[in-house]
Amino acid sequence: MYNDCSPEIREFLFYLETVKGRSKNTVYAYYKDIRYFFRFIKLHKGLCDKQTDFENISIEDVSIDLIKSVTLSDIYEFFHYVNSTNQSSTIARKASCLRTFYKHMYNINAIDKNPTENLELPKIKKSLPKYLNLEQCLQLLNSIDGPFKARDYCMVTLFLNCGMRLSELVGINLNDISICENNNRLLLRGKGNKERIVYLNDACLSALNDYLIFKRDHYQNAKHLDKKALFLSRNGNRICARQVERIIDNCLQKAGLSGMGFSTHKLRHTAATMMYQHAGVDIRVLQEILGHNNLGTTQIYTHISNSQVKEAIENSPLNFKSKK
């Protein structure tokens, strides 16, 4: 992988994966951003044929000299170039990638000056996360049907009750589930292979039990059964993330909830919102449940509804009529 990169860029990507412990998906995102950036730099500095299609500009020859030649002005030119087709969050991600790359190159003494040292990250417009309300959650669960109903219902139930990521769900193994009296737990592997424990409530236990019965009966004659994985495809292989997304999209459509901006990841938003608004979960507890490193990340899930704002003001101890 990354054979189309120069040795210097490849070394950085390997550093992210092996030393920093970044997930393969994260490293791949860095790779795409760096590739995009140096394609622009080569075009900007006249180091490639201007008639070459942007996607075909090679970065195999990106040398230390070219990396050193990049200035803060070049980087702002790059942001101007991508600004018309990218959201502020995407530009901020690209900026963060460049800062990490150049900081690493400076730390290993490959360059003597870091052009991103005074780089200002663009402000990201904060928006409230989209989530299903309680009625829509019940609507979604009640509409799940089909030959794999037990599996699909179990997946949706875990998403809505545990707030797990898609990658965490597909990575669950049977031995990650621990069922014992008053201590029913599930081991999840999050970003960077960080492990955390979530607890299974009655709804999760019931859905898991129904699915495991279905799984035992349905796959008993499967020739190539993945015996480790919890969730399986029709053929008995570990279910993949894209297949789960298709299943969730289909469930949303059956529930009459398609075209409303809902997705697999929005079920995670929903779980966090339900815990915070209806169960009164403390934000730091929610941070642990969701597996966030920073509390600030959790706060996007803890938006306060208008009804809560109204209730807070109504219940103010100073809410009394003045005497005339």
Side-chain angles (χ1 to χ4, degrees):
M1 190 178 285
Y2 313 129
N3 290 330
D4 60 341
C5 297
S6 68
E8 290 78 10
I9 295 175
R10 200 178 307 125
E11 183 275 330
F12 168 68
L13 297 173
F14 288 149
Y15 159 78
L16 288 177
E17 189 170 340
T18 58
V19 179
K20 301 297 288 183
R22 300 290 189 264
S23 70
K24 290 186 181 298
N25 288 340
T26 299
V27 175
Y28 186 68
Y30 272 89
Y31 155 70
K32 290 196 297 183
D33 284 342
I34 290 174
R35 182 181 62 184
Y36 194 97
F37 174 71
F38 280 108
R39 281 174 174 171
F40 166 80
I41 289 297
K42 290 184 67 175
L43 189 65
H44 178 62
K45 291 180 178 289
L47 300 176
C48 64
D49 188 343
K50 291 186 177 181
Q51 301 303 317
T52 304
D53 184 72
F54 188 85
E55 297 297 321
N56 292 328
I57 297 175
S58 172
I59 61 166
E60 289 184 60
D61 57 349
V62 173
S63 63
I64 284 294
D65 287 339
L66 179 58
I67 294 171
K68 282 181 179 180
S69 73
V70 172
T71 65
L72 183 58
S73 178
D74 292 330
I75 295 173
Y76 282 129
E77 287 283 351
F78 170 67
F79 289 150
H80 178 73
Y81 177 79
V82 301
N83 187 51
S84 61
T85 57
N86 289 269
Q87 296 179 343
S88 59
S89 58
T90 303
I91 296 173
R93 190 199 69 223
K94 293 181 185 298
S96 178
C97 170
L98 293 178
R99 290 179 72 172
T100 302
F101 173 73
Y102 272 100
K103 181 179 179 181
H104 170 70
M105 299 304 289
Y106 181 77
N107 287 341
I108 63 172
N109 297 317
I111 58 176
D112 52 15
K113 187 176 181 180
N114 180 357
T116 67
E117 188 175 4
N118 296 316
L119 176 64
E120 295 182 11
L121 295 179
K123 291 184 178 179
I124 301 175
K125 181 182 177 182
K126 292 185 178 181
S127 58
L128 296 179
K130 197 167 187 63
Y131 64 96
L132 285 74
N133 60 34
L134 184 56
E135 182 181 350
Q136 290 169 329
C137 289
L138 297 175
Q139 192 175 331
L140 174 61
L141 288 166
N142 292 332
S143 67
I144 297 173
D145 206 352
F148 288 83
K149 175 181 177 179
R151 179 199 63 188
D152 300 347
Y153 187 92
C154 185
M155 292 195 299
V156 173
T157 299
L158 289 179
F159 275 132
L160 290 176
N161 283 273
C162 302
M164 62 185 64
R165 300 178 178 93
L166 173 59
S167 60
E168 293 169 346
L169 180 126
V170 299
I172 297 173
N173 294 322
L174 287 169
N175 60 9
D176 293 331
I177 305 169
S178 176
I179 307 296
C180 56
E181 189 175 355
N182 299 322
N183 195 21
N184 305 304
R185 302 181 299 168
L186 175 62
L187 175 67
L188 296 177
R189 295 170 189 84
K191 291 184 176 180
N193 290 321
K194 292 181 180 178
E195 296 182 347
R196 74 179 188 282
I197 297 292
V198 294
Y199 292 86
L200 301 170
N201 59 21
D202 290 341
C204 292
L205 290 173
S206 177
L208 274 168
N209 183 61
D210 290 344
Y211 168 58
L212 290 174
I213 293 173
F214 164 82
K215 184 179 177 184
R216 181 194 63 203
D217 296 339
H218 183 82
Y219 295 102
Q220 59 182 339
N221 296 321
K223 293 182 179 179
H224 304 289
L225 182 69
D226 189 326
K227 295 182 179 179
K228 289 177 58 179
L230 173 61
F231 291 112
L232 303 177
S233 67
R234 292 176 179 271
N235 299 324
N237 301 315
R238 183 186 294 274
I239 201 165
C240 69
R242 186 68 195 104
Q243 186 176 356
V244 174
E245 289 177 325
R246 286 195 293 265
I247 290 169
I248 298 302
D249 287 344
N250 186 49
C251 290
L252 287 166
Q253 186 173 14
K254 286 182 178 179
L257 298 171
S258 61
M260 301 173 68
F262 297 137
S263 63
T264 304
H265 191 66
K266 296 302 184 290
L267 300 186
R268 175 169 159 87
H269 287 233
T270 300
T273 303
M274 291 295 165
M275 286 183 229
Y276 186 71
Q277 289 192 358
H278 297 283
V281 175
D282 180 81
I283 187 172
R284 292 197 177 275
V285 175
L286 190 59
Q287 177 188 4
E288 184 174 340
I289 293 172
L290 296 175
H292 288 155
N293 288 328
N294 301 314
L295 188 62
T297 308
T298 312
Q299 288 172 336
I300 69 165
Y301 296 95
T302 58
H303 50 92
I304 302 175
S305 65
N306 290 335
S307 60
Q308 285 179 300
V309 174
K310 181 176 182 294
E311 183 181 354
I313 296 174
E314 289 286 350
N315 293 333
S316 168
L318 297 179
N319 182 21
F320 53 81
K321 293 182 180 180
S322 62
K323 295 179 180 180
K324 295 184 180 179

